[in-house]
Amino acid sequence: MQTSHLTRLASIQHFNLIKRSLTRPTGPVLRKLIASDASPTTNYVRTTCEFRFASTTTSSSNDGQNSHDEEQKKKNITNLMYLAGAVTGLGAIYTIFQNRKSSKEKQDAVSAYDTKQLKSQHADDKLDASKKTLVEKVGDLQDRKLLAEEEQPVELSKTDLTPVIPSFAQYLIIGGGTAALSAFKSIRAHDATAKVLVISSEKYYPYMRPPLSKDVWYTDDDNLLNQYMFKQWNGQEKSLFVFDNEFYADVKTLNDEENGGVGVVLGRKVVNLDLKTSVAKLDNGWEISFEKCLIATGGQPKSLKVFQTASNRLKSKLTLYRGIDDFFALKKVVDSGADVTIIGGGFLGSELACSLAHRATENGKRGNPNGKITQLMPEAGNISKVLPEYLSKWATERVRDEGADVLTNVELVGASVVQDGKVSLSYIDPQNPKKTSYITSDHVVVAVGIEPNTDLAKSAGLEVDPDQGGFLVNAELQARHNVWVAGDAASFYDINLGRRRVEHYDHAIVSGKLAGENMTGAHKPYWHQSTFWSDLGPKVGFEAIGLTDSQLQTVAVYAKGKPTDEEQKRDSEGNREQQDVAPEATANDLKHKLPESKGNLDKDDYSKGVVFYLKENKVVGIVLWNVFNRIAIARKIIKDQQEITNFQELAKLFNIHQD
């Protein structure tokens, strides 16, 4: 009786176990296993279940006859126990498999979560750090030093603990171009222990820009070019960089240098200038407090309206020429034999037209691919804003002699990329104004001047010249008591010629030098007349000084050029040398001479000469056409401000008729 009760209890317990197992996630799996012939185990389970079903059916139909058959009940209980055991075993196997799979997925998920959290935390730390004040950052630095002392035996040097960018600058220069270079040279010359920090958005140390449109294109040694060197007209090799990298101090330890130095931070831009607190904020959030600051941000190349809404495909075929990377990219285009169109008839556009045409011609001579170089301009001739019209047209013929196709007096009205991948430029030809003309090219170079970079004016509260652009400064190039501006971005007051803004290399040198000197305590006004120059190939070059506006009255004296004429010279910065050559007579000595007589001039008569620009019969500007190393004489004539009546005699001061 007791045995029968236990057997009945065991049957109920196993039945409940089976029922619970089948209602859990193992139920569908078990059913599939029973319905499958995949393995002996499932066959056994299926056979057992079928046996149990047959047995229970038989037992139910003969319940009255076999109610006391204990032997049969024992067999049924045994079968149920077997079935329960099989189900329990399968459930255990399934659970183990699921646990392993779930464990791996959890581990992967946890790992991914941890990585994401670390990245997020790192980003948050960066953001928090950018919002910290200068005092908080210094506090963080001290904490790092204390932590380094505690974590032995790891030893960290002072350099390791110093931020990449100093938090204070005695002299801060914003910009890394020519004006900045000239300024820090001047600062160091007048303050031997000065610590100068330069923030430059360039990826290169300060370099010379003028050769990028001239000399480098006439350098036939690519290995030399890849070393950032070029050949001058006289064949001498020269680096684009004024100083070697070793000249510059490590910015990390700049403020600890006993004798000072110049440190340059490359690839960073000042985005905010707070003059109330004398703090400059960089694009990475770092803040630098300063004692004195020079803004030498220069300018950015202008574009044209037809390109401002251009597609990305068209923009990829467009170059706004400015720096070293632009040269190498454009050189690759030219050397591939592509047709290139240059838009602009000023200094840069005219120089590039000559240079690229020369490069393409030389490529053809060597059997390499060479394309067509075309120049488009709205003016009647090259450099027409400076040169008198007749001389501008003569210069255009010299550009054509170099191999460029020059189209003058054209108005560009559209640009698009056509099916063959070329750029189609549409323009209005004045000879047929009712018809739109087209020219196709593989690449387009836009050289239409620059726009002064005055982005800091708003945050700094500085005035911008509404007419000429640039930061408004006084004759000492000062915008505030501890802020100066130099170079292309400065609209300065010239004590001789009034308010001006100049975009020439020599002006960047002169204004940078003056600003640097005034930053060290001098109070000198801008009086030195800067010069500018241009070369249209190796045969035509000129130097100029003062106001040289083609709208002014001009008087010119020419002579036939000779192979023995003196060549131009340059200083260490690539600037034309300005030697103080003493004139044989002054402008005042020539005041009462007879006026010049002007005869018929042929093509060769423009090969060498002097062009005088007049205001109220006084010389305010001079162009030395293929006459070199006489700028000091021209400067003295402008300074004298005497009325001149005989320009033939005045021209003799420049020795243009030398034997």
Side-chain angles (χ1 to χ4, degrees), residues 129-130 132-135 137-138 163-175 195-200 251-252 254-255 263-266 268-294 482-483:
S130 67
K132 290 181 178 179
T133 64
L134 184 61
V135 175
K137 290 176 180 178
V138 172
V164 175
I165 304 175
S167 58
F168 172 77
Q170 180 186 7
Y171 295 95
L172 177 66
I173 297 180
I174 303 173
K195 301 176 178 67
V196 185
L197 181 64
V198 180
I199 307 297
S200 173
V251 294
K252 285 186 175 183
L254 173 63
N255 289 334
V264 181
V265 177
L266 298 174
R268 287 296 173 197
K269 184 179 180 180
V270 175
V271 296
N272 187 280
L273 191 62
D274 188 345
L275 298 186
K276 293 180 180 179
T277 59
S278 295
V279 173
K281 186 176 181 180
L282 275 57
D283 53 359
N284 66 343
W286 189 258
E287 294 181 347
I288 304 172
S289 61
F290 58 85
E291 184 177 331
K292 297 178 181 180
C293 176
L294 171 68
N482 65 337
V483 178

Side-chain angles (χ1 to χ4, degrees), residues 69-344:
D69 191 352
E70 293 294 335
E71 186 66 26
Q72 185 63 37
K73 289 181 180 180
K74 290 180 180 180
K75 290 181 180 181
N76 290 342
I77 291 172
T78 302
N79 290 337
L80 285 172
M81 293 177 66
Y82 284 142
L83 179 59
V87 171
T88 303
L90 288 172
I93 294 172
Y94 178 84
T95 301
I96 293 172
F97 173 76
Q98 286 294 101
N99 287 341
R100 287 183 178 178
K101 182 179 179 181
S102 176
S103 177
K104 186 176 185 306
E105 291 176 347
K106 287 180 179 179
Q107 289 176 0
D108 294 341
V110 169
S111 178
Y113 177 80
D114 289 342
T115 303
K116 183 178 180 180
Q117 287 296 103
L118 286 174
K119 289 182 178 179
S120 177
Q121 184 64 37
H122 184 61
D124 291 343
D125 290 343
K126 276 188 172 181
L127 183 60
D128 292 341
S130 67
K131 295 180 179 179
K132 290 181 178 179
T133 64
L134 184 61
V135 175
E136 290 173 332
K137 290 176 180 178
V138 172
D140 290 344
L141 179 60
Q142 294 173 345
D143 292 341
R144 288 173 60 193
K145 290 181 178 180
L146 292 175
L147 181 62
E149 293 174 357
E150 295 174 359
E151 293 182 352
Q152 297 295 335
V154 179
E155 296 183 359
L156 296 177
S157 65
K158 183 177 181 180
T159 304
D160 296 326
L161 295 172
T162 305
V164 175
I165 304 175
S167 58
F168 172 77
Q170 180 186 7
Y171 295 95
L172 177 66
I173 297 180
I174 303 173
T178 303
L181 181 146
S182 182
F184 69 62
K185 285 179 60 181
S186 180
I187 291 171
R188 292 281 295 165
H190 294 88
D191 184 352
T193 60
K195 301 176 178 67
V196 185
L197 181 64
V198 180
I199 307 297
S200 173
S201 59
E202 291 258 10
K203 68 179 184 180
Y204 302 101
Y205 285 109
Y207 59 89
M208 297 181 292
R209 292 190 188 276
L212 296 179
S213 59
K214 297 182 275 289
D215 308 65
V216 293
W217 294 98
Y218 291 82
T219 301
D220 55 4
D221 187 348
D222 285 352
N223 291 329
L224 195 66
L225 292 173
N226 291 333
Q227 299 174 43
Y228 305 103
M229 298 185 69
F230 63 93
K231 290 182 180 179
Q232 301 180 91
W233 299 129
N234 57 13
Q236 293 182 353
E237 297 179 358
K238 191 174 184 66
S239 173
L240 285 171
F241 299 103
V242 179
F243 297 112
D244 294 332
N245 293 355
E246 290 73 17
F247 166 83
Y248 300 99
D250 187 346
V251 294
K252 285 186 175 183
T253 58
L254 173 63
N255 289 334
D256 296 326
E257 296 289 342
E258 183 178 353
N259 297 320
V262 179
V264 181
V265 177
L266 298 174
R268 287 296 173 197
K269 184 179 180 180
V270 175
V271 296
N272 187 280
L273 191 62
D274 188 345
L275 298 186
K276 293 180 180 179
T277 59
S278 295
V279 173
K281 186 176 181 180
L282 275 57
D283 53 359
N284 66 343
W286 189 258
E287 294 181 347
I288 304 172
S289 61
F290 58 85
E291 184 177 331
K292 297 178 181 180
C293 176
L294 171 68
I295 300 175
T297 49
Q300 297 298 324
K302 291 181 182 178
S303 187
L304 297 173
K305 289 183 179 180
V306 295
F307 298 117
Q308 289 176 355
T309 58
S311 64
N312 291 333
R313 188 181 182 194
L314 178 56
K315 289 180 179 179
S316 68
K317 299 177 181 294
L318 190 69
T319 295
L320 302 179
Y321 198 81
R322 183 66 174 167
I324 289 179
D325 289 340
D326 296 326
F327 161 68
F328 282 106
L330 187 56
K331 172 180 172 293
K332 186 177 180 180
V333 172
V334 174
D335 290 348
S336 70
D339 294 334
V340 178
T341 297
I342 301 165
I343 301 175

Side-chain angles (χ1 to χ4, degrees), residues 390-618:
Y390 68 90
L391 189 57
S392 172
K393 292 181 177 179
W394 185 88
T396 298
E397 294 303 318
R398 305 291 74 75
V399 176
R400 288 174 176 146
D401 291 344
E402 288 295 311
D405 186 11
V406 184
L407 302 180
T408 60
N409 295 309
V410 298
E411 179 186 356
L412 188 66
V413 294
S416 61
V417 179
V418 292
Q419 291 181 351
D420 58 357
K422 289 183 176 290
V423 178
S424 176
L425 300 173
S426 56
Y427 63 92
I428 303 299
D429 190 335
Q431 296 180 355
N432 193 357
K434 295 183 179 181
K435 180 182 178 182
T436 301
S437 301
Y438 297 89
I439 181 175
T440 59
S441 182
D442 295 298
H443 200 83
V444 177
V445 179
V446 179
V448 292
I450 67 169
E451 191 73 30
N453 188 349
T454 57
D455 293 343
L456 294 174
K458 186 175 181 179
S459 63
L462 297 176
E463 296 176 277
V464 175
D465 189 329
D467 300 321
Q468 303 182 85
F471 297 96
L472 278 171
V473 295
N474 60 21
E476 297 177 8
L477 305 181
Q478 195 171 25
R480 291 290 187 274
H481 75 283
N482 65 337
V483 178
W484 290 258
V485 186
D488 298 339
S491 173
F492 62 98
Y493 182 77
D494 187 318
I495 60 176
N496 292 321
L497 302 174
R499 184 157 295 281
R500 305 172 63 197
R501 190 179 71 82
V502 182
E503 297 177 0
H504 293 298
Y505 185 76
D506 182 67
H507 168 69
I509 294 177
V510 172
S511 62
K513 180 179 180 181
L514 177 62
E517 185 175 357
N518 286 342
M519 291 174 75
T520 61
H523 297 281
K524 296 183 178 180
Y526 189 102
W527 62 267
H528 179 86
Q529 290 302 311
S530 62
T531 65
F532 61 92
W533 72 92
S534 181
D535 295 317
L536 303 180
K539 298 180 181 179
V540 177
F542 67 89
E543 299 174 353
I545 185 172
L547 290 179
T548 53
D549 187 338
S550 60
Q551 299 300 313
L552 294 173
Q553 178 188 358
T554 60
V555 177
V557 179
Y558 294 96
K560 182 171 290 189
K562 300 177 181 179
T564 56
D565 287 342
E566 190 173 0
E567 296 181 352
Q568 66 262 38
K569 299 178 181 179
R570 305 183 188 186
D571 60 18
S572 61
E573 297 175 3
N575 198 18
R576 295 286 170 84
E577 291 186 359
Q578 299 179 21
Q579 300 173 350
D580 292 327
V581 180
E584 298 175 358
T586 66
N588 192 49
D589 296 334
L590 304 170
K591 182 176 179 180
H592 302 293
K593 298 285 185 179
L594 295 175
E596 62 171 316
S597 59
K598 196 169 184 180
N600 295 326
L601 298 174
D602 58 27
K603 178 179 178 180
D604 292 332
D605 287 330
Y606 299 142
S607 59
K608 183 174 68 171
V610 182
V611 182
F612 301 98
Y613 294 75
L614 309 178
K615 263 188 177 182
E616 299 176 353
N617 295 323
K618 298 178 181 178

